[in-house]
Amino acid sequence: MDLYEHQARELFEEYGILVPRAEVTDSPKEARAIARRLGGRVVVKAQVKTGGRGKAGGVKLAADPAAAELTARQILGMDIKGHTVGKVMLAQPVDIESEFYVSYVLDRAAGRFLAIASAEGGMEIEEVAASRPEAVARVPVDPTEGVTSAKATEIAEAAGLPPETVDVLVRLWGVLTHEDAVLVEVNPLVRTARGQILALDGKVTLDDNARFRQARWGEQEVAHDDPLEAAAAAKGLNYVKLNGEVGIIGNGAGLVMSTLDVVAGCGARPANFLDIGGGASAQIMADGLSVILSDPAVNSVFVNVFGGITACDAVADGIVRALETVRLTRPLVVRLDGNNAVHGRAILDGRAHPLVEQATTMDDAARRAARLATAG
């Protein structure tokens, strides 16, 4: 669950991290009033859950309240990487002396957190990391020990950050641990001409498994860079877009992951991950097929289901009824196995759709789907 920048700032303030004064609005007229309250000259920032706002024109300096209203009007409604700007934040500008980058992120593979920091923060931090990785420090953090003053000093020294950032590093760790976050990022963390250390921008991602403890944020929409993922999320589907030509539908994350591997082993690339879980109703099938068929890269679709609690005949019935509402434009290969598989296959045979064919094993079905996707 990603928070908006202004929400991340709220957390930072709660934990004693300095941020510039700012207010949020969805009204250009109110933006003028906010700018007046903040002293006239302000930075107008699009509030969307994605990076690259500055390069997309979503962060602009306004010289006075009238300019703030005009700038807010220009930014509101913008599309930034598939995200429509619904609110802007107006913040007091800061006289920056130095910019830094600091973050904590969950390292799932290692079972620990990773502190990432650099003395060269700002918009080009990705380029710094790619061209000069030595300029970005990566310091493992044992979650049982956390970030003490000593650990924060180690991180700051490894990254070349000034000693004044040590306290901020400790406080950011408090945000991470007490707010159930898996990512806390400040870019840039700045030192002003007056020597203050301020968080100018922030990104916080909370653990979805801890939503019940984070009710104050309400129902936050999940950020999706890909419009197909956004469409699938709106339908309640567990879908991830991949760069391939074989659409995949399966029941159970393990089976779907195995299906991806088998398709790749047959010389084709999976176009997506889509787990329908234990349910295979006509609506779920229709929704899944409609999302997958919306991907122009998909040349064939592979439905791989092992019947357990949900029997194969129910899955087959869901596919047949889904085909009444979804126009199938590419071949669909179905493999049904397990509970009531024979009955399920008979249902699909009875429908006799010209673009639907069946295979009895996962390997056979994967080979056929791959061949159909890569033919010609």
Side-chain angles (χ1 to χ4, degrees):
M1 177 170 63
D2 291 334
L3 299 185
Y4 288 101
E5 177 193 4
H6 67 89
Q7 294 171 325
R9 285 168 44 93
E10 288 179 34
L11 284 180
F12 295 164
E13 283 192 287
E14 289 178 19
Y15 285 80
I17 299 168
L18 295 178
V19 297
R21 284 183 58 202
E23 295 184 41
V24 180
T25 183
D26 59 1
S27 163
K29 185 176 180 179
E30 178 62 17
R32 179 191 285 256
I34 292 172
R36 191 176 295 114
R37 288 196 292 270
L38 294 178
R41 189 166 174 263
V42 293
V43 180
V44 185
K45 308 179 75 175
Q47 295 299 284
V48 288
K49 298 178 180 181
T50 187
R53 293 174 301 165
K55 292 182 178 179
V59 178
K60 294 182 178 180
L61 182 66
D64 53 47
E69 178 178 350
L70 177 61
T71 303
R73 195 177 303 279
Q74 292 170 341
I75 293 177
L76 286 167
M78 280 182 61
D79 181 277
I80 300 178
K81 295 183 179 179
H83 299 258
T84 301
V85 181
K87 292 183 179 181
V88 292
M89 182 178 74
L90 291 86
Q92 286 182 324
V94 173
D95 187 4
I96 300 173
E97 180 184 272
S98 305
E99 295 187 354
F100 317 113
Y101 173 91
V102 296
S103 70
Y104 295 116
V105 62
L106 177 61
D107 185 346
R108 297 182 188 276
R112 63 192 180 194
F113 285 91
L114 189 64
I116 304 175
S118 175
E120 301 181 33
M123 289 176 61
E124 309 303 331
I125 184 63
E126 292 86 357
E127 294 179 16
V128 172
S131 61
R132 291 186 297 106
E134 70 279 1
V136 180
R138 294 170 172 83
V139 181
V141 178
D142 185 334
T144 62
E145 297 177 4
V147 177
T148 61
S149 292
K151 188 68 175 182
T153 299
E154 176 189 343
I155 296 167
E157 291 178 348
L161 304 180
E164 307 95 287
T165 62
V166 168
D167 181 63
V168 174
L169 290 169
V170 174
R171 293 177 184 275
L172 280 175
W173 180 257
V175 175
L176 182 91
T177 55
H178 296 309
E179 301 298 330
D180 298 307
V182 294
L183 168 68
V184 174
E185 176 185 88
V186 181
N187 185 35
L189 179 71
V190 305
R191 179 168 55 194
T192 70
R194 298 173 58 188
Q196 288 184 307
I197 301 295
L198 277 75
L200 254 59
D201 197 350
K203 181 177 181 180
V204 175
T205 300
L206 305 181
D207 187 347
D208 283 335
N209 296 310
R211 281 178 179 264
F212 68 98
R213 286 200 297 256
Q214 300 298 335
R216 66 166 163 162
W217 301 115
E219 285 298 318
Q220 297 287 326
E221 70 270 24
V222 179
H224 296 282
D225 289 338
D226 188 273
L228 286 176
E229 290 185 356
K235 297 175 183 294
L237 297 174
N238 186 13
Y239 171 95
V240 179
K241 176 75 173 72
L242 303 173
N243 296 319
E245 56 279 334
V246 179
I248 304 292
I249 299 178
N251 64 329
L255 179 61
V256 178
M257 292 298 291
S258 297
T259 305
L260 302 183
D261 290 341
V262 173
V263 167
C266 293
R269 298 174 303 165
N272 66 274
F273 172 103
L274 176 52
D275 173 19
I276 60 173
S281 67
Q283 189 60 55
I284 290 175
M285 277 293 176
D287 288 343
L289 286 171
S290 67
V291 170
I292 289 176
L293 293 172
S294 296
D295 184 351
V298 168
N299 295 327
S300 70
V301 182
F302 178 13
V303 176
N304 188 20
V305 171
F306 185 86
I309 296 175
T310 301
C312 288
D313 57 336
V315 175
D317 185 60
I319 294 173
V320 168
R321 285 189 286 143
L323 293 175
E324 296 173 359
T325 59
V326 177
R327 181 172 173 266
L328 191 61
T329 55
R330 276 148 279 184
L332 175 68
V333 180
V334 182
R335 175 258 185 172
L336 299 176
D337 197 7
N339 185 13
N340 278 358
V342 173
H343 189 194
R345 293 174 195 142
I347 291 173
L348 291 179
D349 286 339
R351 175 62 175 82
H353 193 289
L355 289 177
V356 177
E357 55 184 270
Q358 299 190 67
T360 56
T361 70
M362 181 163 70
D363 287 344
D364 287 343
R367 277 192 290 268
R368 181 57 178 160
R371 189 175 301 116
L372 289 167
T374 57

